Amino acid sequence: MAAPGRGPLTTDFVGSQYNGPGNLGDHDHEGHPGWRIDQIDANINGWLRNSTPRTVLLHIGTNDVLQNYNVSGAPQRLSTLIDHITAAAPNADVFVATIIPLSNSGQEAAARNFNSAIPGIVQSKVNSGKRVHLVDMHSKLTTGDLIDGIHPTANGYDKMAAAWYAALQSVPGSIGQGPGTSPSPSPSPSPSPSRSPSPSPSASPSASPSPGGAGCSATYAIAGQWDGGFQATVTVTAGSSAISSWTVGWQFGNGQTVTQSWSTEISAGGAQVTARNAGYNGALGAGASTQFGFLGTWNGANGVPTLTCTAG
């Protein structure tokens, strides 16, 4: 990565999580699928102690809106979270973004109302001497940039990246160190939670047989669960040889259904579900992994199914 008029920059993304497209390079981050502001806040001090970030990118509040979780109190929760970040990492620059649009009109209205409070929150921190900066992310995307009404398409993520980069460029030192400068802790997107609604993570993995040859394996984890709904994440891993495509199948045992998905093409017939790679994540090198996720419904029980994975 380089900035205009400067040599290459040294950056290091940090965080307890590790995933993303293979060509991303640095996969460390602190994004947690479906987590609300309060859940991030409950863990922030430990993460900051472990990572000591130089820069924090914060795009948060969407899951509070999607889960209709005390939305009127979300601005105050955000303000408290920022206070905890600036207290634990007083020398870090904290970039706070407005949340991107949502296709559902009622949720979009709630998102706009939440966003309207963010400039005042940020200004109050600046007035207190905090290194906090506002990023207008909402205006950079439209609902046409969403793949499922919630999550951005690849082009939508490009637009978000451009907005973050422009903001970082405006604050000297926040984006990394150029040649000839002394090193310092580098930018971190922590916490910048993923945008898939689920209130509480509870890992419940179920793996297909270990990959071998040109095969693949898949593991299933329930990322969060609430009354009548849940979010699951599936990780697909290539075997000892590269693959060009993958198909994951399973059968729900408790009447669950899939309502939304991302980074995959899902078809379902009764309890049987088949998930195929999207156009951009089918090719995996030997031992490489990719993830897809979905939202579903459940009633009474939500057992973890056994997965099969077939490589092409």
Side-chain angles (χ1 to χ4, degrees), residues 9-15 26 28 51 53-54 175-176 184-189:
L9 297 171
T10 300
T11 62
D12 177 25
F13 289 87
V14 297
D26 193 338
D28 298 320
S51 297
R54 166 62 179 81
I175 199 170
S184 65
S186 306
S188 163

Side-chain angles (χ1 to χ4, degrees), residues 54 72 78 87 100 190 202 224 237 251:
R54 166 62 179 81
S72 64
L78 174 62
I100 66 174
S190 63
S202 57
T237 304
Q251 184 169 335

Side-chain angles (χ1 to χ4, degrees), residues 139-157:
S139 69
K140 302 301 188 293
L141 280 75
T142 70
T143 54
D145 295 309
L146 306 178
I147 196 169
D148 56 5
I150 299 172
H151 302 87
T153 60
N155 186 57
Y157 280 121

Side-chain angles (χ1 to χ4, degrees), residues 44-108:
I44 194 64
N45 285 330
W47 291 335
L48 293 176
R49 281 196 303 269
N50 292 335
S51 297
T52 59
R54 166 62 179 81
T55 301
V56 176
L57 308 185
L58 193 61
H59 181 272
I60 192 168
T62 300
N63 291 315
D64 297 67
V65 171
L66 294 176
Q67 297 171 31
N68 196 28
Y69 180 79
N70 184 19
V71 178
S72 64
Q76 181 56 54
R77 293 195 296 276
L78 174 62
S79 178
T80 300
L81 172 60
I82 296 171
D83 286 342
H84 290 161
I85 294 172
T86 55
N91 295 320
D93 282 291
V94 183
F95 292 81
V96 184
T98 55
I99 60 177
I100 66 174
L102 296 167
S103 290
N104 178 279
S105 59
Q107 292 171 342
E108 171 63 3

